[in-house]
Amino acid sequence: MEHIDLAPIAKVAGTVALPGSKSISNRTLLLAALCAGQTTVRGLLASDDTQRMLEALDALGVKVEQLLDENGADSRDFIVHGCAGNFPNKNADLFLGNAGTAFRPLTAALALSNGSYHLHGVARMHERPIGDLVDALRQAGSQIDYLGNEGFPPLQIKPSLIKPGAAAADRVQVKGNVSSQFLTGLLMSLPLTNRDMTVEVVGELISKPYIEITLNLMAKFGLKVEKKSWNEFFIPAGQVYQSPGEIFVEGDASSASYFLAAGAIGGGDAVRVTGVGSESIQGDKRFAETLEQMGAQITWGPNWIEAAPPADGQLKAIDVDLNHIPDAAMTIAIAALFAKGKTTIRNIESWRVKETDRLSAMATELRKVGATVEEGQDWISVIAPESLTPNAEIDTYDDHRMAMCFSLVALGGVPVRINDPKCTAKTFPTYFEELARITL
Ligand SMILES: O=C(O)C1=C[C@@H](OP(=O)(O)O)[C@@H](O)[C@H](O)C1
Ligand SMILES: C=C(OP(=O)(O)O)C(=O)O
């Protein structure tokens, strides 16, 4: 198995320019594809997940041009030629890897696009639930078959077009407690029906800040959704997506969490991330608040965040509900290795259905470095050891966040081996190079 051996890191300091946000990149690509006219998307994330979305748009017949930089090399700027809500290819086979932000929204958009589409992914994607979204789309009149297990990808979508006035529901219900991406997919796609549509969220909605990202970006593309409450959204008929002309992708706030945690742990000066700050539309910026609760010194700018160790040098344990930042919450479990006391992270059951069962994977690997860990169905608690176990060999379960999280163990003055480091390519292919740049 390929691995990277990290030497103990005594100090970190410096600035990291964050790669583009995965959540914003993939939403923006789809919205730009759905609108009429051209959209220039600047600063798109280069990673497996965005590559899957670009390939899908290509297979659907949407033209996307990559622009060159001043040296003639590929830039991260793209021109998307929108298809005005009507994908040119009515038959396509889409491989979507393990990209939830591609799979769920594309399922919704294609289920309302009057074509035949086969959507599949890696083995783990076929274990990640999609039944709540399929149920909701069927209420709207879509025809979707499961090709493997009921409730999971792969899917076959059959032609169905929900015309204004057709006998399909104008109200769909969706469960909110497994993934917010189902609601995101519905919100972005139901305007294609050109009917007044109400989406009712049944039960608790998790990961709410991701819905804020969705609504924010839809608004940038001229689409108004009335949020009556977290359980009811109304999309008035007669709206079409309109190109904003040009749109800039923020830096990724989840990717920021590793560097901010490094700054808080790190025995050096502050670490600054740029591309995300107080004006960010991403909920994961609030990771910095949680780090602050642990004692870290946090400074905000409009487009940057800085983290430095606590004034007294000692992070403290916390007991927190992190349902609003499920991805960055993993980084808190690692920060707990450097905190005094028992840290408990609650309301994170969605960890079980992401890239791997993250509750189980986190518990297993934290124990390898000496932590005392307890795990429940939707929580984890971590007590740091007196000193971290040197030379732990960390398995990463094809989960980019496991690799990035456990790299921070090296800040505990011990060498650590990370297996399959290239799994960071899902959202951050150059992660280990960036970490090396702030290592003194
Ligand atoms: O909508 C999004 O961009 C995301 C929503 C979250 O998923 P859940 O809603 O499934 O928690 C998050 O974990 C994922 O990385 C990105
Ligand atoms: C859960 C994640 O990804 P996805 O978008 O595939 O759900 C993640 O990036 O942590």
Side-chain angles (χ1 to χ4, degrees), residues 142-362:
S142 296
Q143 296 196 59
I144 306 169
D145 289 340
Y146 295 112
L147 300 177
N149 292 329
E150 192 79 3
F152 297 86
L155 303 176
Q156 181 64 46
I157 292 172
K158 295 188 201 150
S160 65
L161 182 63
I162 293 92
K163 290 204 185 74
D170 58 4
R171 188 178 183 90
V172 298
Q173 293 186 320
V174 66
K175 284 203 206 155
N177 65 338
V178 171
S179 171
S180 70
Q181 292 174 355
F182 305 152
L183 176 59
T184 281
L186 289 169
L187 291 171
M188 293 205 298
S189 306
L190 286 172
L192 299 178
T193 64
N194 198 22
R195 306 164 59 102
D196 280 340
M197 275 289 187
T198 296
V199 187
E200 186 188 330
V201 180
V202 180
E204 195 219 351
L205 175 64
I206 64 164
S207 306
K208 291 190 184 73
Y210 289 98
I211 300 303
E212 305 272 19
I213 300 179
T214 303
L215 297 178
N216 188 301
L217 292 175
M218 285 175 71
K220 288 199 167 88
F221 281 86
L223 214 298
K224 257 218 349 249
V225 178
E226 291 169 25
K227 178 179 157 210
K228 311 270 188 197
S229 72
W230 280 113
N231 290 97
E232 191 175 322
F233 298 81
F234 176 65
I235 307 167
Q239 302 188 80
V240 289
Y241 284 115
Q242 283 159 8
S243 171
E246 184 178 49
I247 189 159
F248 291 84
V249 176
E250 295 181 3
D252 193 294
S254 318
S255 298
S257 71
Y258 312 105
F259 305 111
L260 294 175
I265 297 163
D269 295 331
V271 173
R272 179 181 283 208
V273 292
T274 62
V276 165
S278 56
E279 287 175 2
S280 168
I281 64 167
Q282 297 167 75
D284 269 12
K285 70 180 174 186
R286 293 186 57 198
F287 169 81
E289 293 169 7
T290 309
L291 214 47
E292 194 166 38
Q293 270 178 272
M294 297 179 83
Q297 302 187 74
I298 303 290
T299 318
W300 295 83
N303 187 36
W304 53 267
I305 310 175
E306 216 169 78
D312 66 0
Q314 176 62 64
L315 288 171
K316 50 179 188 288
I318 47 172
D319 186 326
V320 271
D321 179 334
L322 294 185
N323 189 276
H324 59 294
I325 55 166
D327 294 355
M330 290 173 79
T331 318
I332 294 296
I334 297 293
L337 290 174
F338 301 87
K340 203 167 167 187
K342 177 175 172 175
T343 293
T344 305
I345 305 173
R346 300 184 189 278
N347 207 359
I348 48 164
E349 188 170 4
S350 71
W351 276 20
R352 295 206 180 271
V353 291
K354 299 202 188 261
E355 281 74 339
T356 184
D357 177 341
R358 288 176 166 171
L359 269 156
S360 158
M362 254 300 160

Side-chain angles (χ1 to χ4, degrees), residues 333-334 336-337 342-345 351 358-376 379-385 406:
I334 297 293
L337 290 174
K342 177 175 172 175
T343 293
T344 305
I345 305 173
W351 276 20
R358 288 176 166 171
L359 269 156
S360 158
M362 254 300 160
T364 304
E365 302 308 311
L366 282 167
R367 287 182 186 123
K368 284 188 187 168
V369 298
T372 304
V373 185
E374 282 181 275
E375 168 199 343
W379 59 271
I380 191 167
S381 69
V382 184
I383 303 174
F406 277 88

